Amino acid sequence: MTKGKIDTMQELNAALPDKHQVAKELGIPLDQGHNEELTTSQVGKIGGKIGGQKVKMMIEMAEEQMAQNSIEEAANTKAE
């Protein structure tokens, strides 16, 4: 996972690990082409690792946006 601030979904997707690298780390033989021989469990391990990181990063993005919105709303209230 990256330490920099991520503002867009494109940046988020780019920050996630490559599925082939994840499969290699897990010892799962993921080919570039067809992978019919993989079990549901193997595919779930690959996707789960990537998806779990994505959800965590999306929550962090949403929390930052909510905090920024609160600051802006407070500033607008004071200005009125």
Side-chain angles (χ1 to χ4, degrees), residues 12-70:
L12 174 62
N13 288 330
L16 293 172
D18 176 67
K19 65 183 176 184
H20 292 93
Q21 183 61 35
V22 171
K24 184 178 178 182
E25 290 171 8
L26 295 172
I28 299 171
L30 182 65
D31 294 328
Q32 292 290 341
H34 300 284
N35 291 288
E36 298 90 13
E37 72 283 352
L38 294 181
T39 66
T40 303
S41 176
Q42 289 173 315
V43 173
K45 287 177 184 176
I46 297 167
K49 186 167 182 178
I50 295 170
Q53 289 180 4
K54 186 171 186 173
V55 169
K56 181 179 179 185
M57 293 169 80
M58 288 172 61
I59 290 169
E60 289 172 0
M61 285 174 53
E63 288 173 342
E64 288 174 12
Q65 290 173 349
M66 289 171 35
Q68 184 61 37
N69 288 344
S70 283

Side-chain angles (χ1 to χ4, degrees), residues 2-15:
T2 130
K3 297 287 182 193
K5 187 174 183 225
I6 296 173
D7 295 316
T8 67
M9 289 303 293
Q10 291 81 11
E11 291 173 354
L12 174 62
N13 288 330

